Amino acid sequence: MIKQKHGIDVDPHKNIAICCGQSEAFAAAVFATINLRDEVLLFDPAYETYGACITMAGGVPVYVPLDPPHWTLNLELFVGSFTSRTKAIVVNSPHNPTGKVFTTDELAAIAQVCCDKDCLAITDEVYEYITFDLAKHISLASFPGMAERTIITSSLSKTYSVTGWRVGWAIASTPIASAIKNIHVKLTDSAPAPFQEAALIALRSSPSFFEHLKTEYEERRDTIVKILREAGFKVHFKPQGSFFVFAELPEHCVLPDVDFVAELIKKAGVAAVPGCGFFHESRVLRKGISSDSLVSGEMPKPYQNYEKRYVRFAFCKSSATLEAAAQKLNQFVITNEHEEPH
């Protein structure tokens, strides 16, 4: 599958480490490669476990903001975030929480910088088969010079809706894959053997399975975007992949994201995730911005005032559940849009 989809030659005995889900594969990859005070660049907003793994390994997570509202790569800011201590970058595409799929041009630029800086890349590609419209997932490892310096992590969980099976993998050069296997043995020993047997069958699914998967999720994506817009949310960016929508709160909503989500759960029974959990401290913008901004304590545009205005909704639900949520959400927004935060 790797050769067919990404054009990468992989020896299953030398280049693949089977782990307990993508989460462990990512952790083992970080523990195998990151040493004390090594810096690792992450694109912000970022899934929360990445930074935690880097910190536990003794490394330093450095967050490079994507430009809202379409979450585009700011190449100047990215390049300016490298230091002599930068060891690796993390690329998650399709992206959680925004649903962004990095473009070919963005990935080519990232790959070129990695080669120029002699930097490793750790990718999270768990949503690789869930892309919409004309967006297409391309692995960073497929670009010139990147196969030997990229660690791909992925799993069965999202594609086959088996998040509880905990079967994932890391794909890397032989020395790195060997190190990941050694870490994996110390962490969890082995992934569940019966589920690995089932995985062999799942991974041989016909192309029609993946087409059906995309079609189903694309319909749900369109449904939830319509629901949120009708409820007054600002969906500036229609997800290109994954099964999340990262929506800005309605314009007249005075509640910050955490308070809004708490009220939404309590009063409407609808769950979402506050966006602030995916954003990180402004001090990480230490490179690529003017010293005047740093001295004044002000964030340069477009990095102002949005960290507490976003919430993430998941649409990996049935149509009936989405419609029920729509009714509750509309009523909640109508009755709460002018309430003051508690």
Side-chain angles (χ1 to χ4, degrees), residues 4 26 29 33 48 51 58 62 66 69 89 111 124 155 170 186 191 209 229 241 243 247 250 263 274 280 319 330:
Q4 181 180 2
F26 183 89
T33 57
E48 60 268 25
V62 177
L66 297 169
I89 68 164
D124 176 354
S155 77
K186 306 299 189 297
F209 169 82
R229 284 175 172 165
F243 44 61
E263 292 292 297
H280 298 82
S319 297
N330 273 300

Side-chain angles (χ1 to χ4, degrees), residues 1-2 31 97 102 131 136-137 147 214 233 249 253 278-279 283 301 311 313 315 318 321-322 330:
M1 287 182 70
I2 301 298
F31 296 160
F102 281 75
T131 59
K136 181 181 178 182
H137 170 67
K214 288 180 60 172
F233 289 86
L249 293 173
C253 176
F278 300 99
F279 294 111
R283 64 179 172 79
K301 292 180 180 180
V311 291
F313 290 92
F315 53 90
S318 68
T321 298
L322 293 177
N330 273 300

Side-chain angles (χ1 to χ4, degrees), residues 39-232:
E39 293 183 358
V40 182
L41 304 190
L42 306 96
F43 295 111
D44 211 43
Y47 185 52
E48 60 268 25
T49 63
Y50 302 151
C53 290
I54 293 162
T55 300
M56 284 190 286
V60 180
V62 177
Y63 293 92
V64 182
L66 297 169
D67 284 349
H70 298 105
W71 313 109
T72 51
L73 172 67
N74 185 321
L75 185 58
E76 182 180 1
L77 193 59
F78 173 56
V79 174
S81 297
F82 279 81
T83 72
S84 60
R85 296 186 300 275
T86 304
K87 179 74 170 290
I89 68 164
V90 174
V91 178
N92 169 215
S93 182
H95 185 252
N96 177 7
T98 67
K100 170 188 174 63
V101 175
F102 281 75
T103 67
T104 303
D105 288 345
E106 287 176 326
L107 291 170
I110 292 169
Q112 186 60 58
V113 174
C114 285
C115 291
D116 292 344
K117 303 285 188 179
D118 192 22
C119 178
L120 295 173
I122 306 173
T123 67
D124 176 354
E125 304 183 24
V126 293
Y127 301 102
E128 60 186 307
Y129 291 103
I130 306 175
T131 59
F132 313 124
D133 305 319
L134 299 178
K136 181 181 178 182
H137 170 67
I138 303 172
S139 177
L140 188 63
S142 66
F143 286 82
M146 291 304 295
E148 290 299 307
R149 65 177 69 250
T150 300
I151 305 168
I152 299 172
T153 67
S154 193
S155 77
L156 292 183
S157 297
K158 307 305 190 296
T159 303
Y160 300 98
S161 304
V162 289
T163 54
W165 283 19
R166 312 316 303 157
V167 177
W169 50 85
I171 302 172
S173 64
T174 300
I176 294 178
S178 177
I180 291 172
K181 290 175 185 178
N182 287 335
I183 295 291
H184 161 66
V185 169
K186 306 299 189 297
L187 290 176
T188 61
D189 189 66
S190 65
F195 296 151
Q196 291 189 54
E197 294 290 342
L200 292 175
I201 297 173
L203 291 169
R204 296 189 182 105
S205 297
S206 68
S208 63
F209 169 82
F210 301 102
E211 289 302 319
H212 180 70
L213 181 77
K214 288 180 60 172
T215 300
E216 263 201 354
Y217 273 123
E218 192 166 315
E219 290 173 355
R220 296 178 196 181
R221 186 273 313 259
D222 292 344
T223 296
I224 196 169
V225 167
K226 181 174 181 289
I227 288 169
L228 292 173
R229 284 175 172 165
E230 289 179 348

